[in-house]
Amino acid sequence: MEQFIISVGREFGSGGRSIAEELGKRFGIPVYNRHLITEIAEKTGLAPEEIEKYNENPRTKILSRTVRGYSNSIEDNIAEMQFNFIREKAQSGESFVVLGRCSETKLKDFPALISLFVLADMDAKIKRIMELYSLSEDKAKALIDKKDRKRKRYHNYHCSGHWGDSRLYDLSINSSRLGIEGTVDCLEQYIRARIAK
């Protein structure tokens, strides 16, 4: 089978991470999410906790600056390390799933890319987050809003397109309609059709 790269963007609470992990299992390929932090830590000698602290955050404008294309921002440098990591994996010919990391944009020049975005109805997201984190409805809604604002800010800082805009992805899907398992079944069928083409 030829190389294929599955990029999964997602709203918080949509089940996107679970969907990405299940797709990885079904296709027998690695899923890069938190693993990116571990691998970057090993390469750079930085502690994973230090990388995690700045992970998927846009730089603090007051404390950072860019001179001749080089930034002194830790946030920018960690983001670039992650973008370089997924590009190196793509260039190596490896097939994999990558969760977030602006991958639908950063890997768009690779013909093997299949980009997906998972969204869900707010009531379904609230219910899921309440169950996963044992939160009240209000706290679950507040966490969803906070996480999605952070993802949107990070994505829109590093990419020209807007986070969640369906034109950036090959397929956007609402996981509320079929549930997690049904959504994975649907995406697997789509990915297999793309691979066969």
Side-chain angles (χ1 to χ4, degrees):
M1 188 183 290
E2 288 185 23
Q3 180 191 32
F4 60 101
I5 301 163
I6 304 168
S7 160
V8 181
R10 78 283 186 212
E11 292 179 344
F12 188 72
S14 67
R17 182 174 50 84
S18 299
I19 289 166
E21 287 169 356
E22 184 57 32
L23 287 171
K25 284 180 195 164
R26 291 196 188 185
F27 287 97
I29 57 176
V31 179
Y32 294 118
N33 180 19
R34 295 275 174 226
H35 308 89
L36 286 169
I37 292 166
T38 308
E39 294 214 21
I40 289 168
E42 286 171 6
K43 274 187 177 180
T44 60
L46 293 168
E49 304 78 42
E50 195 64 21
I51 294 171
E52 182 62 49
K53 191 165 107 180
Y54 299 102
N55 183 40
E56 292 196 298
N57 281 317
R59 72 178 179 179
T60 309
K61 290 182 181 176
I62 297 168
L63 302 174
S64 61
R65 63 187 201 143
T66 302
V67 178
R68 296 182 188 173
Y70 294 97
S71 174
N72 72 340
S73 158
I74 294 172
E75 296 90 347
D76 278 357
N77 291 325
I78 286 174
E80 278 306 314
M81 283 186 232
Q82 292 186 60
F83 301 150
N84 289 337
F85 177 89
I86 61 174
R87 278 192 291 259
E88 284 168 16
K89 291 289 180 187
Q91 286 164 352
S92 76
E94 179 182 332
S95 292
F96 59 92
V97 179
V98 60
L99 198 59
R101 275 53 184 199
C102 304
S103 51
E104 86 294 329
T105 301
K106 299 300 178 182
L107 300 179
K108 69 181 179 184
D109 294 331
F110 290 89
L113 181 67
I114 300 167
S115 58
L116 313 170
F117 190 83
V118 182
L119 58 140
D121 296 340
M122 183 55 86
D123 60 338
K125 293 191 291 187
I126 290 171
K127 185 176 181 225
R128 183 176 176 80
I129 295 307
M130 285 172 69
E131 290 170 3
L132 282 174
Y133 297 97
S134 302
L135 295 175
S136 68
E137 185 175 338
D138 288 344
K139 287 190 176 173
K141 168 86 166 58
L143 183 60
I144 290 164
D145 289 342
K146 178 184 173 186
K147 292 282 195 179
D148 280 349
R149 267 196 317 273
K150 180 182 173 186
R151 286 177 183 171
K152 182 178 184 178
R153 206 174 78 217
Y154 175 83
H155 183 281
N156 295 351
Y157 173 77
H158 289 288
C159 305
S160 55
H162 294 286
W163 177 79
D165 182 340
S166 61
R167 289 168 292 195
L168 290 180
Y169 310 93
D170 296 324
L171 182 68
S172 294
I173 191 163
N174 186 329
S175 63
S176 308
R177 301 293 176 263
L178 299 172
I180 301 301
E181 196 70 20
T183 300
V184 175
D185 291 342
C186 180
L187 292 174
E188 180 184 3
Q189 188 177 358
Y190 174 77
I191 292 162
R192 291 197 187 281
R194 284 284 304 276
I195 292 167
K197 202 170 176 196

